[in-house]
Amino acid sequence: MATSTFSCEDGMEEDGVSEGEGKNLGPCSGPNRQRDLCTFCTISLDQEEVFRTKVFDKSLSPFYGEDFYFEIPRPFQCLSFYVFAKGVFQRDLPVGTLCFQLEDFQGKVHLEMRLNELIIENGSMCQQLLVRIIECQGLPLISGQNCDPYATVSLVGPARSDQKKTKVKKKTSDPQFEETFNFEVNLIYIWGLMSSCFSLCLSVCVCVCRVDLWNNGNLAQDVFLGETRVSVKILRNDHIHRAWYLLQPKGNGKSKTDDLGSLRLNVTYTEDNVLPSACYTPLRTLLLKSPDIKPISASAAHILGDICRERYEAVLPVVRLLLHHSRLVPFVSAITVLELENTQEANTIFRGNSLATRCIDDMMKIVGRSYLTVTLKPVLDEICDSNKTCEIDPIKLKEGDNVEVNKENLQGYVQKVFSSITQSSSSCPPLMCDVFRSLRHMASKRFPGERGITRIFVLSPHLHPTSSSAGLQSSGNLSKSSFKESYMYDFFKSFQEDKCIEKVKKVIKLTVPISRDYLFCFREIQKRAQGRKRIGKRNFKKRWLRVTNRELSYHKHRGKEALCIIPVKNIRAVEKLYESAFNRKNMFQVLHSEKPLYVQAGNCVEASEWVEVLSQVSRCNPDRLGTFHPSAHVAGAWLCCRSLSDNQPGCKPCTPTLLANLQLDIDCDRETERIFSLLTSSYSKLQKMEDACASIAVYQGPPREQDDYSLFTIQDPKETFHTVQQITHILEELQREHDTRSGTAQYGSQ
């Protein structure tokens, strides 16, 4: 099953696509044989590729099962799905194409039909068909504004009838018609040579009820919006048939089909009409209070996640809204506490599809995209360009493959990816570090000594979407485990070595700071006395330099009390010095709130390690410098730029230790409107939750299993009831605003 959701406002649209599966894919042109067909699917907007699935090996019925979410900053006319056969030494070959025009996303109509048997004046039998058009939803905009829709109803077949028409509804994409039409079918007149019984059956089977939706053009030509056709043979006498039908283009089901196989998708189209910002203030304020509500299950954001549990897209607008207002970390922390309370074993932490894991997942998709690009794109580009074979599964090996060469290729690729990840802690966005730190703190309190947080960072498919993820997971688990495939034993063994495990531990500790002190480095160095104005050997003394996640200190002897302590939060930059600064090699400086600390490491490797560790533990500090002096201020001047003042800003840019500032283009009104739409579509569940709160408060006991509300999370029924009532009141007010403006808004007006 696949779903696409489009939300439009001012030319900005959202698209969420789930790739389903392909079946019976036919052969493509070229030398590829069917048994070797390796396929992938791409998604394009107006011939511009925006996403592609992974390659599915050697199958004519691949199951892709991938979800995509992306922003569309421009109008589009065509959404296309292309299936390709992967070429190794040649271009990819097309297998088939599926295209949707924008006008294909037409909405749906709600119909009620009933077939009655009548005896007319001359005594003959006839059938009366009652067609009730109840409502339509999701009709497209016409020239950027709501349409003036009406519906026509007619019978197609031997019992062809005159066309009947509803009243025109003004300025709405969701018209309420509530009109009923009668159609008489005189069976004797149509099938005069047949018995009444046989003629009844035959005529009912071949009649089709056709409903067309149109936009009233007034003085201009009416615009076709879509049609649906319902066979009357599905009806039984005196039986009411009520159902929703998707509107289709003209000629529904008449297109030519070639033997190219099939692609399973389900595409829907919705539009959100965004009101002025002031209209959303009550709902936005209620949502932003969510992290402070006790218990968290009674908050508006948690209630939305509870009643829209089956809708994967429901959490994203909440995450964006909280992220924009810097409220995401406390909310994630609060819902994580709730999840941990219901987690019995440490190895099941964050495994379920809970509200906490969905929020973390969406946060990493939004915030971690740049981190992912910086960390993995260079090495993945190198891997893709090299085209080396890495298959080591004996069953999948082709004739002529050398398994030892393939194993060496795979080992090299995974080692490069592993190194890129373990050296990436300085690029991890501060927001992700804050979330991980909070999760680790709470997980360690719930399960002391366990490493549940490792699963979030190291094993997340959104942070490490590479073919070598199995190797990373092996080290990420921080334990020596058994292997399912014997041919993978030697490969995994190399990643079970202590040096790999230590690298993973290090990147986790640098990226996910822990609450207690953790010692990163403690070595003997040469330190220059702070505040000295001249250069000389006497100004340098041996000291022991110590750095933890909290502080930097130096000591006269190892194990003795610190002579000086510099809190990590006060470090503003850590940079290497020119050798000419003090006529010494391997020098670096720590710039903090007081005089610079000048240090000489034992060798060049140690100097680089000091700079790396100190830069990483201080990378989230808010007052980091943008420039520095790569030399010393001696005899009244800087040796690097000859500036006289010792307070002169630096003459060289600092080494970047962070990604560029996270710029999130979040339209809070648009996100709040999306939340309003989600709550409105789940209004019945909201009412059930309100009833459940009232029932629990009266019953004074836990919810009973047989009740519908047993699936809701209700810790405090009174507080939850109060929040639900607030949500209901706000929804009613917003709906009135929509109803008022839908009838008066003019295209092009404010």
Side-chain angles (χ1 to χ4, degrees), residues 136-302:
C136 289
Q137 290 184 3
L139 297 182
L141 300 180
I142 302 297
S143 300
Q145 60 183 338
N146 286 327
C147 56
D148 296 335
Y150 68 90
T152 61
V153 190
S154 60
L155 287 184
V156 179
R160 186 179 300 274
S161 67
D162 294 334
Q163 190 176 80
K164 300 184 180 182
K165 176 182 173 181
T166 68
K167 296 178 181 178
V168 176
K169 301 297 180 180
K170 295 292 186 180
K171 304 298 181 185
T172 178
S173 294
D174 303 313
Q176 301 284 329
F177 291 111
E178 293 291 351
E179 295 190 42
T180 302
F181 302 97
N182 299 328
F183 297 91
E184 291 186 2
V185 181
N186 191 320
L187 303 179
I188 297 177
Y189 177 77
I190 298 174
W191 306 104
L193 299 179
M194 301 181 183
S195 67
S196 61
C197 180
F198 182 72
S199 62
L200 167 64
C201 296
L202 182 59
S203 63
V204 168
C205 287
V206 297
C207 286
V208 173
C209 177
R210 172 178 167 179
V211 179
D212 292 344
L213 269 294
W214 298 84
N215 175 60
N216 184 36
N218 294 322
L219 300 179
Q221 184 177 359
D222 292 355
V223 177
F224 177 76
L225 300 178
E227 72 169 28
T228 189
R229 302 189 182 199
V230 183
S231 176
V232 183
K233 68 181 180 181
I234 66 173
L235 304 179
R236 300 194 304 270
N237 283 341
D238 298 324
H239 175 75
I240 297 177
H241 172 76
R242 179 181 293 183
W244 284 94
Y245 290 93
L246 294 176
L247 296 176
Q248 305 290 341
K250 284 187 177 180
N252 178 24
K254 301 300 183 182
S255 58
K256 179 182 177 182
T257 57
D258 297 324
D259 189 16
L260 296 177
S262 61
L263 186 66
R264 186 160 65 100
L265 300 167
N266 180 12
V267 184
T268 59
Y269 179 77
T270 60
E271 293 179 345
D272 293 326
N273 298 312
V274 180
L275 301 172
S277 183
C279 298
Y280 298 110
T281 300
L283 180 56
R284 184 166 53 240
T285 302
L286 185 64
L287 289 164
L288 294 177
K289 287 181 179 178
S290 295
D292 304 322
I293 300 298
K294 306 293 182 183
I296 190 63
S297 60
S299 67
H302 193 281

Side-chain angles (χ1 to χ4, degrees), residues 441-504:
H441 174 68
M442 291 180 292
S444 61
K445 285 181 63 177
R446 178 70 174 86
F447 299 102
E450 299 290 346
R451 298 182 177 89
I453 188 61
T454 303
R455 181 173 300 111
I456 287 291
F457 181 74
V458 179
L459 307 187
S460 170
H462 298 292
L463 287 178
H464 308 303
T466 70
S467 59
S468 55
S469 60
L472 297 173
Q473 291 183 17
S474 172
S475 296
N477 289 330
L478 307 180
S479 64
K480 297 184 177 181
S481 57
S482 58
F483 308 104
K484 296 180 180 179
E485 301 90 355
S486 58
Y487 59 86
M488 294 292 290
Y489 176 78
D490 292 335
F491 172 75
F492 276 105
K493 188 177 180 181
S494 62
F495 285 94
Q496 293 291 323
E497 296 176 359
D498 291 340
K499 62 179 182 180
C500 290
I501 294 176
E502 288 303 316
K503 287 181 179 179
V504 174

Side-chain angles (χ1 to χ4, degrees), residues 62-127:
F63 180 81
Y64 297 112
E66 296 192 40
D67 297 334
F68 300 101
Y69 177 87
F70 52 97
E71 297 278 350
I72 307 173
R74 58 173 176 79
F76 74 99
Q77 294 299 321
C78 183
L79 174 69
S80 304
F81 298 84
Y82 296 88
V83 178
F84 288 92
K86 180 66 177 175
V88 179
F89 301 108
Q90 58 184 3
R91 66 182 180 87
D92 301 330
L93 301 174
V95 176
T97 305
L98 179 63
C99 297
F100 295 98
Q101 299 295 324
L102 182 58
E103 56 266 23
D104 292 343
F105 303 104
Q106 299 294 338
K108 55 186 178 180
V109 59
H110 194 189
L111 301 178
E112 180 180 292
M113 302 173 65
R114 182 174 181 175
L115 197 62
N116 294 329
E117 207 172 79
L118 297 177
I119 301 178
I120 57 179
E121 292 181 355
N122 60 7
S124 60
M125 294 284 295
C126 77
Q127 292 284 311

